[in-house]
Amino acid sequence: MNLTDRPRRLRRDGVRSLVSETKLDAHDLVAPIFVDATTDERVAIGSMPGQERVPVDDAVDRVEEVLETGVEAVMVFGIPESKDERGSRAWAQDGIVQEAVRRITAETDAYVITDVCLCEYTDHGHCGVLESDAAESPTLTVRNDATLELLAKTAVSHADAGADMIAPSSMTDGMVGAIRDALDGAGHESVPIMSYAAKYESAFYGPFRDAADGAPAFGDRRHYQMDPANGREAIREVALDVEQGADVLMVKPALAYLDVVRSVREEFDHPVAAYNVSGEYAMLHAAAEKGWLDLDEAAHESLLAMKRAGADLIITYFAEDLARRL
Ligand code: PBG
């Protein structure tokens, strides 16, 4: 054995950080926030310790809490006061996200990203307009092309309210192109789109669906979200969004899909985002609560791995805790 090469030489304190390849930085993190039109008090989200739904009157305070930690960007999710078949509160001028975004952009310097989807707004909980017989034949669920127009209207209403970036998450084919056209038509040429480009049909979204009250009432999302079995298909999905004008490419979830983060990083020059989803957050909290692992260390290591895999930015419920420690 040749012992002239000893990698351990560079692992001592003092030199470790000089040679470290990856660093986490508060500037690379986006904190999701939940604004809820059905409450006038903050409501803790049971399955996501430390996360809350806040009434619109607390939206600015909530964002200020984020900014104090050094995180500069938020992703806004809304829980509307009422739901209907088409999700019409998603594009309402006086909708919950629109109202929150107007206040946040007027009163803070946060960079405001909005999630564009219909599942929190439809009474059936799917991410678009349904086939008329969908409840009986759950293999045919969302009508793709009829949904595009609604997503486009929603995106424009968010930009009109002051959103800095639009993040469509419904996995509707053609959504990025439809939203880009609509934004440009409404004078929002400079508002970028962060596409949930490779979004998988994942069991790790469970806690979010409690948080945002967006679980499908029947069936599931496997007809529009990606099959976890597929990696090559992610490249095709992402390429379509790039052709349609996506500015930032997101992979979601993150931890179980780091191979996808890496291949998107290698295949495209665009910035890559990883969404460290609710289930990834909840499972670390649950294990830590039992005393089975150290929460801060495990969270830090997880996010570091996402950057190492190639993510430029990370959307994460750990944003504030992590930033405070950095
Ligand atoms: C759809 C949306 C979802 C998430 C973000 N946007 C839910 C879904 O697709 O079922 C999940 C985020 C998370 O789990 O943290 N509006």
Side-chain angles (χ1 to χ4, degrees), residues 33-97:
I33 65 161
F34 297 96
V35 187
D36 185 346
T38 70
T39 179
D40 43 25
E41 269 167 38
R42 291 187 178 216
V43 182
I45 301 166
S47 52
M48 298 172 69
Q51 303 295 315
E52 299 172 319
R53 306 183 189 196
V54 305
V56 71
D57 285 340
D58 274 24
V60 168
D61 287 351
R62 179 72 195 91
V63 170
E64 267 159 7
E65 290 159 20
V66 171
L67 296 175
E68 273 161 27
T69 68
V71 173
E72 296 167 327
V74 295
M75 170 100 104
V76 181
F77 291 97
I79 295 103
E81 57 289 345
S82 64
K83 306 187 188 221
D84 57 33
E85 211 183 326
R86 285 158 58 84
S88 61
R89 295 304 296 167
W91 58 85
Q93 282 299 324
D94 60 347
I96 181 68
V97 166

Short mmCIF file of all heavy atoms in Angstrom, two decimals, residues 33-97:
data_model
loop_
_atom_site.label_atom_id
_atom_site.label_comp_id
_atom_site.label_asym_id
_atom_site.label_seq_id
_atom_site.Cartn_x
_atom_site.Cartn_y
_atom_site.Cartn_z
N ILE A 33 -43.77 30.30 2.66
CA ILE A 33 -44.68 30.77 3.71
C ILE A 33 -46.12 30.50 3.28
O ILE A 33 -46.42 30.46 2.09
CB ILE A 33 -44.49 32.28 4.04
CG1 ILE A 33 -44.85 33.15 2.84
CG2 ILE A 33 -43.05 32.58 4.48
CD1 ILE A 33 -45.11 34.59 3.25
N PHE A 34 -46.97 30.30 4.27
CA PHE A 34 -48.37 29.95 4.00
C PHE A 34 -49.28 31.07 4.51
O PHE A 34 -49.26 31.37 5.71
CB PHE A 34 -48.74 28.65 4.73
CG PHE A 34 -47.95 27.47 4.25
CD1 PHE A 34 -46.79 27.06 4.92
CD2 PHE A 34 -48.34 26.77 3.11
CE1 PHE A 34 -46.05 25.97 4.47
CE2 PHE A 34 -47.61 25.68 2.66
CZ PHE A 34 -46.46 25.28 3.33
N VAL A 35 -50.05 31.65 3.62
CA VAL A 35 -50.98 32.70 4.01
C VAL A 35 -52.39 32.14 3.87
O VAL A 35 -52.76 31.59 2.83
CB VAL A 35 -50.80 33.95 3.13
CG1 VAL A 35 -51.66 35.09 3.66
CG2 VAL A 35 -49.34 34.36 3.08
N ASP A 36 -53.16 32.27 4.93
CA ASP A 36 -54.42 31.54 5.05
C ASP A 36 -55.59 32.51 5.22
O ASP A 36 -55.66 33.25 6.21
CB ASP A 36 -54.30 30.60 6.27
CG ASP A 36 -55.51 29.70 6.43
OD1 ASP A 36 -56.55 29.94 5.79
OD2 ASP A 36 -55.39 28.73 7.21
N ALA A 37 -56.53 32.47 4.26
CA ALA A 37 -57.68 33.37 4.31
C ALA A 37 -58.77 32.87 5.25
O ALA A 37 -59.77 33.56 5.46
CB ALA A 37 -58.26 33.55 2.91
N THR A 38 -58.59 31.68 5.80
CA THR A 38 -59.66 31.14 6.65
C THR A 38 -59.42 31.38 8.14
O THR A 38 -60.17 30.88 8.98
CB THR A 38 -59.83 29.61 6.45
OG1 THR A 38 -58.68 28.94 7.00
CG2 THR A 38 -59.96 29.25 4.98
N THR A 39 -58.37 32.11 8.46
CA THR A 39 -58.08 32.29 9.88
C THR A 39 -57.66 33.73 10.17
O THR A 39 -57.13 34.41 9.28
CB THR A 39 -56.95 31.33 10.33
OG1 THR A 39 -56.66 31.54 11.71
CG2 THR A 39 -55.66 31.56 9.54
N ASP A 40 -57.93 34.20 11.38
CA ASP A 40 -57.34 35.49 11.73
C ASP A 40 -56.31 35.35 12.84
O ASP A 40 -55.88 36.32 13.44
CB ASP A 40 -58.41 36.56 12.05
CG ASP A 40 -59.52 36.03 12.90
OD1 ASP A 40 -59.26 35.04 13.64
OD2 ASP A 40 -60.63 36.58 12.84
N GLU A 41 -55.91 34.11 13.07
CA GLU A 41 -54.81 33.86 14.00
C GLU A 41 -53.81 32.93 13.33
O GLU A 41 -54.16 32.17 12.44
CB GLU A 41 -55.33 33.13 15.24
CG GLU A 41 -55.75 34.05 16.35
CD GLU A 41 -56.54 33.29 17.40
OE1 GLU A 41 -56.18 32.11 17.67
OE2 GLU A 41 -57.49 33.86 17.92
N ARG A 42 -52.59 32.95 13.79
CA ARG A 42 -51.60 32.01 13.26
C ARG A 42 -51.97 30.59 13.68
O ARG A 42 -52.37 30.37 14.82
CB ARG A 42 -50.21 32.35 13.78
CG ARG A 42 -49.69 33.65 13.21
CD ARG A 42 -48.24 33.85 13.63
NE ARG A 42 -47.71 35.06 13.04
CZ ARG A 42 -46.45 35.19 12.61
NH1 ARG A 42 -45.59 34.19 12.75
NH2 ARG A 42 -46.05 36.32 12.09
N VAL A 43 -51.82 29.65 12.76
CA VAL A 43 -52.14 28.25 13.07
C VAL A 43 -50.89 27.41 12.83
O VAL A 43 -50.32 27.42 11.74
CB VAL A 43 -53.27 27.73 12.14
CG1 VAL A 43 -53.64 26.30 12.50
CG2 VAL A 43 -54.48 28.65 12.20
N ALA A 44 -50.46 26.69 13.87
CA ALA A 44 -49.28 25.83 13.70
C ALA A 44 -49.65 24.65 12.80
O ALA A 44 -50.77 24.14 12.85
CB ALA A 44 -48.83 25.33 15.08
N ILE A 45 -48.71 24.24 11.96
CA ILE A 45 -48.93 23.09 11.08
C ILE A 45 -48.36 21.86 11.77
O ILE A 45 -47.14 21.74 11.92
CB ILE A 45 -48.26 23.32 9.71
CG1 ILE A 45 -48.83 24.59 9.05
CG2 ILE A 45 -48.43 22.10 8.81
CD1 ILE A 45 -48.03 25.10 7.88
N GLY A 46 -49.26 20.98 12.21
CA GLY A 46 -48.85 19.87 13.06
C GLY A 46 -47.74 19.00 12.48
O GLY A 46 -46.80 18.62 13.18
N SER A 47 -47.84 18.69 11.21
CA SER A 47 -46.89 17.77 10.61
C SER A 47 -45.60 18.46 10.15
O SER A 47 -44.71 17.82 9.60
CB SER A 47 -47.55 17.05 9.42
OG SER A 47 -48.13 18.01 8.56
N MET A 48 -45.52 19.79 10.37
CA MET A 48 -44.32 20.53 9.99
C MET A 48 -43.91 21.46 11.15
O MET A 48 -44.17 22.65 11.12
CB MET A 48 -44.58 21.35 8.72
CG MET A 48 -44.94 20.47 7.53
SD MET A 48 -45.48 21.42 6.11
CE MET A 48 -43.96 22.20 5.63
N PRO A 49 -43.29 20.86 12.18
CA PRO A 49 -42.98 21.64 13.38
C PRO A 49 -42.25 22.95 13.06
O PRO A 49 -41.32 22.97 12.26
CB PRO A 49 -42.07 20.70 14.18
CG PRO A 49 -42.43 19.33 13.70
CD PRO A 49 -42.79 19.48 12.25
N GLY A 50 -42.73 24.02 13.67
CA GLY A 50 -42.10 25.32 13.45
C GLY A 50 -42.73 26.10 12.30
O GLY A 50 -42.49 27.30 12.16
N GLN A 51 -43.54 25.45 11.47
CA GLN A 51 -44.18 26.15 10.35
C GLN A 51 -45.61 26.51 10.72
O GLN A 51 -46.27 25.79 11.46
CB GLN A 51 -44.19 25.28 9.09
CG GLN A 51 -42.81 24.81 8.65
CD GLN A 51 -41.92 25.97 8.21
OE1 GLN A 51 -42.35 26.85 7.47
NE2 GLN A 51 -40.69 25.98 8.68
N GLU A 52 -46.06 27.65 10.19
CA GLU A 52 -47.40 28.13 10.51
C GLU A 52 -48.12 28.61 9.26
O GLU A 52 -47.48 29.04 8.31
CB GLU A 52 -47.31 29.35 11.44
CG GLU A 52 -46.66 29.13 12.75
CD GLU A 52 -46.45 30.44 13.50
OE1 GLU A 52 -46.07 31.46 12.88
OE2 GLU A 52 -46.69 30.44 14.71
N ARG A 53 -49.45 28.58 9.35
CA ARG A 53 -50.24 29.33 8.38
C ARG A 53 -50.55 30.67 9.05
O ARG A 53 -50.97 30.68 10.21
CB ARG A 53 -51.59 28.66 8.14
CG ARG A 53 -51.57 27.23 7.73
CD ARG A 53 -53.02 26.90 7.50
NE ARG A 53 -53.27 25.50 7.28
CZ ARG A 53 -54.42 25.06 6.77
NH1 ARG A 53 -55.37 25.88 6.44
NH2 ARG A 53 -54.61 23.79 6.60
N VAL A 54 -50.39 31.74 8.31
CA VAL A 54 -50.65 33.04 8.94
C VAL A 54 -51.77 33.77 8.21
O VAL A 54 -51.94 33.63 7.00
CB VAL A 54 -49.38 33.93 8.97
CG1 VAL A 54 -48.22 33.20 9.65
CG2 VAL A 54 -48.97 34.40 7.58
N PRO A 55 -52.55 34.56 8.96
CA PRO A 55 -53.58 35.38 8.30
C PRO A 55 -52.91 36.48 7.48
O PRO A 55 -51.73 36.81 7.73
CB PRO A 55 -54.37 35.96 9.47
CG PRO A 55 -53.46 35.89 10.64
CD PRO A 55 -52.53 34.74 10.42
N VAL A 56 -53.65 37.05 6.55
CA VAL A 56 -53.05 38.03 5.66
C VAL A 56 -52.50 39.23 6.44
O VAL A 56 -51.47 39.81 6.07
CB VAL A 56 -54.04 38.44 4.55
CG1 VAL A 56 -55.18 39.29 5.11
CG2 VAL A 56 -53.33 39.12 3.41
N ASP A 57 -53.12 39.55 7.55
CA ASP A 57 -52.62 40.67 8.36
C ASP A 57 -51.25 40.40 8.96
O ASP A 57 -50.57 41.33 9.39
CB ASP A 57 -53.61 40.99 9.51
CG ASP A 57 -54.84 41.71 8.99
OD1 ASP A 57 -54.77 42.28 7.88
OD2 ASP A 57 -55.88 41.68 9.70
N ASP A 58 -50.86 39.13 9.01
CA ASP A 58 -49.54 38.78 9.55
C ASP A 58 -48.52 38.49 8.45
O ASP A 58 -47.38 38.11 8.75
CB ASP A 58 -49.65 37.53 10.44
CG ASP A 58 -50.03 37.88 11.87
OD1 ASP A 58 -50.62 38.95 12.05
OD2 ASP A 58 -49.73 37.07 12.77
N ALA A 59 -48.92 38.63 7.20
CA ALA A 59 -48.02 38.23 6.11
C ALA A 59 -46.72 39.03 6.14
O ALA A 59 -45.62 38.47 5.99
CB ALA A 59 -48.72 38.39 4.77
N VAL A 60 -46.84 40.33 6.36
CA VAL A 60 -45.64 41.17 6.37
C VAL A 60 -44.73 40.80 7.55
O VAL A 60 -43.52 40.65 7.39
CB VAL A 60 -46.03 42.67 6.40
CG1 VAL A 60 -44.82 43.55 6.71
CG2 VAL A 60 -46.66 43.07 5.07
N ASP A 61 -45.34 40.60 8.72
CA ASP A 61 -44.55 40.20 9.89
C ASP A 61 -43.85 38.86 9.63
O ASP A 61 -42.68 38.67 9.99
CB ASP A 61 -45.44 40.02 11.13
CG ASP A 61 -45.90 41.35 11.67
OD1 ASP A 61 -45.39 42.39 11.19
OD2 ASP A 61 -46.78 41.35 12.54
N ARG A 62 -44.58 37.96 9.03
CA ARG A 62 -44.01 36.63 8.76
C ARG A 62 -42.78 36.78 7.86
O ARG A 62 -41.75 36.14 8.09
CB ARG A 62 -45.07 35.74 8.09
CG ARG A 62 -44.61 34.34 7.71
CD ARG A 62 -44.42 33.46 8.93
NE ARG A 62 -43.66 32.26 8.62
CZ ARG A 62 -42.34 32.17 8.72
NH1 ARG A 62 -41.61 33.19 9.15
NH2 ARG A 62 -41.73 31.06 8.40
N VAL A 63 -42.88 37.61 6.83
CA VAL A 63 -41.76 37.80 5.91
C VAL A 63 -40.61 38.51 6.62
O VAL A 63 -39.43 38.19 6.41
CB VAL A 63 -42.22 38.55 4.64
CG1 VAL A 63 -41.03 38.97 3.80
CG2 VAL A 63 -43.17 37.68 3.84
N GLU A 64 -40.95 39.45 7.49
CA GLU A 64 -39.88 40.13 8.23
C GLU A 64 -39.10 39.16 9.12
O GLU A 64 -37.88 39.28 9.26
CB GLU A 64 -40.43 41.31 9.02
CG GLU A 64 -40.29 42.57 8.17
CD GLU A 64 -41.20 43.72 8.57
OE1 GLU A 64 -41.87 43.60 9.62
OE2 GLU A 64 -41.23 44.71 7.82
N GLU A 65 -39.81 38.18 9.69
CA GLU A 65 -39.12 37.15 10.48
C GLU A 65 -38.10 36.41 9.61
O GLU A 65 -36.99 36.10 10.05
CB GLU A 65 -40.13 36.13 11.04
CG GLU A 65 -41.04 36.67 12.13
CD GLU A 65 -42.33 35.85 12.30
OE1 GLU A 65 -42.36 34.67 11.86
OE2 GLU A 65 -43.29 36.38 12.87
N VAL A 66 -38.50 36.12 8.39
CA VAL A 66 -37.60 35.42 7.47
C VAL A 66 -36.38 36.30 7.16
O VAL A 66 -35.23 35.86 7.25
CB VAL A 66 -38.33 35.04 6.15
CG1 VAL A 66 -37.35 34.51 5.12
CG2 VAL A 66 -39.44 34.02 6.43
N LEU A 67 -36.65 37.56 6.84
CA LEU A 67 -35.56 38.47 6.45
C LEU A 67 -34.54 38.66 7.56
O LEU A 67 -33.34 38.77 7.30
CB LEU A 67 -36.13 39.83 6.02
CG LEU A 67 -37.03 39.83 4.77
CD1 LEU A 67 -37.61 41.22 4.54
CD2 LEU A 67 -36.26 39.35 3.54
N GLU A 68 -35.03 38.66 8.81
CA GLU A 68 -34.11 38.84 9.94
C GLU A 68 -33.05 37.76 10.02
O GLU A 68 -31.98 37.97 10.57
CB GLU A 68 -34.91 38.83 11.27
CG GLU A 68 -35.43 40.19 11.64
CD GLU A 68 -36.56 40.10 12.67
OE1 GLU A 68 -36.61 39.11 13.43
OE2 GLU A 68 -37.40 41.03 12.67
N THR A 69 -33.35 36.59 9.49
CA THR A 69 -32.38 35.48 9.56
C THR A 69 -31.31 35.60 8.48
O THR A 69 -30.33 34.85 8.50
CB THR A 69 -33.08 34.11 9.38
OG1 THR A 69 -33.57 34.01 8.03
CG2 THR A 69 -34.23 33.93 10.35
N GLY A 70 -31.53 36.47 7.50
CA GLY A 70 -30.57 36.58 6.40
C GLY A 70 -31.08 35.97 5.10
O GLY A 70 -30.50 36.15 4.05
N VAL A 71 -32.20 35.25 5.19
CA VAL A 71 -32.82 34.71 3.97
C VAL A 71 -33.57 35.86 3.29
O VAL A 71 -34.27 36.63 3.95
CB VAL A 71 -33.80 33.57 4.33
CG1 VAL A 71 -34.59 33.11 3.11
CG2 VAL A 71 -33.02 32.40 4.94
N GLU A 72 -33.39 35.99 1.97
CA GLU A 72 -33.95 37.16 1.29
C GLU A 72 -35.13 36.86 0.37
O GLU A 72 -35.71 37.78 -0.20
CB GLU A 72 -32.84 37.81 0.45
CG GLU A 72 -31.72 38.35 1.33
CD GLU A 72 -30.47 38.71 0.55
OE1 GLU A 72 -30.18 38.04 -0.45
OE2 GLU A 72 -29.81 39.66 0.96
N ALA A 73 -35.42 35.58 0.21
CA ALA A 73 -36.48 35.22 -0.73
C ALA A 73 -37.52 34.34 -0.06
O ALA A 73 -37.19 33.48 0.77
CB ALA A 73 -35.90 34.48 -1.94
N VAL A 74 -38.78 34.56 -0.43
CA VAL A 74 -39.86 33.73 0.09
C VAL A 74 -40.67 33.17 -1.08
O VAL A 74 -40.71 33.76 -2.16
CB VAL A 74 -40.82 34.51 1.03
CG1 VAL A 74 -40.10 34.94 2.30
CG2 VAL A 74 -41.45 35.71 0.33
N MET A 75 -41.29 32.04 -0.83
CA MET A 75 -42.22 31.44 -1.79
C MET A 75 -43.58 31.45 -1.12
O MET A 75 -43.73 30.87 -0.03
CB MET A 75 -41.76 30.02 -2.08
CG MET A 75 -42.73 29.22 -2.87
SD MET A 75 -42.22 29.18 -4.58
CE MET A 75 -41.59 27.57 -4.64
N VAL A 76 -44.55 32.13 -1.73
CA VAL A 76 -45.85 32.32 -1.09
C VAL A 76 -46.87 31.28 -1.58
O VAL A 76 -47.06 31.12 -2.78
CB VAL A 76 -46.40 33.74 -1.37
CG1 VAL A 76 -47.74 33.95 -0.68
CG2 VAL A 76 -45.40 34.80 -0.93
N PHE A 77 -47.47 30.60 -0.62
CA PHE A 77 -48.58 29.68 -0.89
C PHE A 77 -49.83 30.25 -0.21
O PHE A 77 -49.73 30.82 0.87
CB PHE A 77 -48.30 28.30 -0.30
CG PHE A 77 -47.18 27.57 -0.99
CD1 PHE A 77 -45.89 27.60 -0.50
CD2 PHE A 77 -47.43 26.84 -2.15
CE1 PHE A 77 -44.86 26.92 -1.14
CE2 PHE A 77 -46.41 26.16 -2.80
CZ PHE A 77 -45.12 26.20 -2.29
N GLY A 78 -50.98 30.05 -0.85
CA GLY A 78 -52.21 30.59 -0.28
C GLY A 78 -53.23 29.52 0.01
O GLY A 78 -53.34 28.52 -0.70
N ILE A 79 -53.99 29.74 1.08
CA ILE A 79 -55.15 28.91 1.37
C ILE A 79 -56.35 29.84 1.25
O ILE A 79 -56.50 30.78 2.04
CB ILE A 79 -55.08 28.29 2.79
CG1 ILE A 79 -53.89 27.32 2.88
CG2 ILE A 79 -56.36 27.51 3.11
CD1 ILE A 79 -52.70 27.85 3.59
N PRO A 80 -57.21 29.61 0.23
CA PRO A 80 -58.30 30.55 -0.03
C PRO A 80 -59.44 30.39 0.95
O PRO A 80 -59.54 29.37 1.63
CB PRO A 80 -58.75 30.17 -1.44
CG PRO A 80 -58.47 28.70 -1.51
CD PRO A 80 -57.21 28.47 -0.70
N GLU A 81 -60.34 31.40 0.99
CA GLU A 81 -61.49 31.34 1.90
C GLU A 81 -62.54 30.36 1.37
O GLU A 81 -63.33 29.84 2.13
CB GLU A 81 -62.08 32.73 2.15
CG GLU A 81 -62.54 33.50 0.90
CD GLU A 81 -61.37 34.00 0.05
OE1 GLU A 81 -60.22 34.01 0.54
OE2 GLU A 81 -61.60 34.36 -1.11
N SER A 82 -62.54 30.11 0.04
CA SER A 82 -63.50 29.16 -0.52
C SER A 82 -62.90 28.51 -1.75
O SER A 82 -61.97 29.04 -2.36
CB SER A 82 -64.79 29.89 -0.91
OG SER A 82 -64.51 30.82 -1.94
N LYS A 83 -63.44 27.35 -2.11
CA LYS A 83 -62.93 26.59 -3.25
C LYS A 83 -64.08 26.29 -4.19
O LYS A 83 -65.23 26.21 -3.76
CB LYS A 83 -62.31 25.27 -2.77
CG LYS A 83 -61.24 25.47 -1.70
CD LYS A 83 -60.53 24.17 -1.38
CE LYS A 83 -59.61 24.37 -0.18
NZ LYS A 83 -58.33 23.68 -0.33
N ASP A 84 -63.78 26.13 -5.47
CA ASP A 84 -64.81 25.70 -6.40
C ASP A 84 -64.19 24.78 -7.45
O ASP A 84 -63.00 24.46 -7.38
CB ASP A 84 -65.53 26.91 -7.03
CG ASP A 84 -64.56 27.84 -7.74
OD1 ASP A 84 -63.55 27.35 -8.30
OD2 ASP A 84 -64.80 29.07 -7.75
N GLU A 85 -65.00 24.41 -8.43
CA GLU A 85 -64.58 23.39 -9.37
C GLU A 85 -63.36 23.82 -10.19
O GLU A 85 -62.50 23.02 -10.52
CB GLU A 85 -65.76 23.10 -10.30
CG GLU A 85 -65.80 21.70 -10.81
CD GLU A 85 -66.96 21.53 -11.78
OE1 GLU A 85 -68.01 22.19 -11.58
OE2 GLU A 85 -66.79 20.74 -12.73
N ARG A 86 -63.31 25.10 -10.56
CA ARG A 86 -62.23 25.58 -11.41
C ARG A 86 -61.11 26.26 -10.63
O ARG A 86 -60.08 26.61 -11.20
CB ARG A 86 -62.78 26.55 -12.46
CG ARG A 86 -63.53 25.83 -13.58
CD ARG A 86 -64.50 26.74 -14.30
NE ARG A 86 -63.89 27.93 -14.89
CZ ARG A 86 -63.30 27.96 -16.10
NH1 ARG A 86 -63.23 26.87 -16.82
NH2 ARG A 86 -62.80 29.08 -16.55
N GLY A 87 -61.33 26.48 -9.35
CA GLY A 87 -60.27 27.13 -8.58
C GLY A 87 -60.21 28.63 -8.80
O GLY A 87 -59.13 29.23 -8.81
N SER A 88 -61.38 29.26 -8.91
CA SER A 88 -61.41 30.66 -9.34
C SER A 88 -60.75 31.64 -8.35
O SER A 88 -60.34 32.73 -8.75
CB SER A 88 -62.85 31.10 -9.63
OG SER A 88 -63.63 30.99 -8.45
N ARG A 89 -60.62 31.24 -7.09
CA ARG A 89 -59.95 32.16 -6.15
C ARG A 89 -58.44 32.23 -6.42
O ARG A 89 -57.74 33.07 -5.85
CB ARG A 89 -60.19 31.75 -4.69
CG ARG A 89 -61.63 31.85 -4.24
CD ARG A 89 -62.24 33.21 -4.42
NE ARG A 89 -61.60 34.25 -3.60
CZ ARG A 89 -61.78 35.56 -3.75
NH1 ARG A 89 -62.57 36.02 -4.70
NH2 ARG A 89 -61.16 36.41 -2.96
N ALA A 90 -57.94 31.37 -7.30
CA ALA A 90 -56.51 31.39 -7.61
C ALA A 90 -56.12 32.64 -8.39
O ALA A 90 -55.01 33.14 -8.26
CB ALA A 90 -56.12 30.15 -8.41
N TRP A 91 -57.05 33.15 -9.22
CA TRP A 91 -56.70 34.32 -10.04
C TRP A 91 -57.50 35.57 -9.65
O TRP A 91 -57.51 36.56 -10.36
CB TRP A 91 -56.84 34.02 -11.54
CG TRP A 91 -58.21 33.58 -11.96
CD1 TRP A 91 -59.26 34.40 -12.28
CD2 TRP A 91 -58.69 32.25 -12.10
NE1 TRP A 91 -60.36 33.65 -12.61
CE2 TRP A 91 -60.05 32.32 -12.51
CE3 TRP A 91 -58.12 30.98 -11.91
CZ2 TRP A 91 -60.83 31.19 -12.73
CZ3 TRP A 91 -58.90 29.85 -12.14
CH2 TRP A 91 -60.23 29.95 -12.54
N ALA A 92 -58.18 35.51 -8.50
CA ALA A 92 -58.98 36.67 -8.07
C ALA A 92 -58.07 37.84 -7.70
O ALA A 92 -57.05 37.66 -7.03
CB ALA A 92 -59.84 36.27 -6.87
N GLN A 93 -58.45 39.02 -8.15
CA GLN A 93 -57.69 40.24 -7.79
C GLN A 93 -57.52 40.36 -6.28
O GLN A 93 -56.48 40.80 -5.80
CB GLN A 93 -58.44 41.49 -8.28
CG GLN A 93 -58.30 41.76 -9.76
CD GLN A 93 -56.86 41.99 -10.17
OE1 GLN A 93 -56.08 42.57 -9.42
NE2 GLN A 93 -56.47 41.49 -11.35
N ASP A 94 -58.61 40.02 -5.56
CA ASP A 94 -58.56 40.14 -4.10
C ASP A 94 -58.31 38.78 -3.45
O ASP A 94 -58.72 38.53 -2.32
CB ASP A 94 -59.86 40.76 -3.57
CG ASP A 94 -61.08 39.91 -3.91
OD1 ASP A 94 -60.97 38.99 -4.76
OD2 ASP A 94 -62.16 40.15 -3.32
N GLY A 95 -57.67 37.86 -4.20
CA GLY A 95 -57.34 36.55 -3.66
C GLY A 95 -56.29 36.66 -2.55
O GLY A 95 -55.66 37.71 -2.38
N ILE A 96 -56.12 35.58 -1.84
CA ILE A 96 -55.25 35.59 -0.67
C ILE A 96 -53.77 35.86 -1.04
O ILE A 96 -53.08 36.66 -0.41
CB ILE A 96 -55.42 34.30 0.17
CG1 ILE A 96 -54.53 34.30 1.40
CG2 ILE A 96 -55.18 33.03 -0.64
CD1 ILE A 96 -54.91 35.31 2.44
N VAL A 97 -53.30 35.22 -2.11
CA VAL A 97 -51.90 35.42 -2.51
C VAL A 97 -51.72 36.84 -3.06
O VAL A 97 -50.75 37.53 -2.71
CB VAL A 97 -51.47 34.36 -3.54
CG1 VAL A 97 -50.15 34.74 -4.21
CG2 VAL A 97 -51.34 33.00 -2.87
#
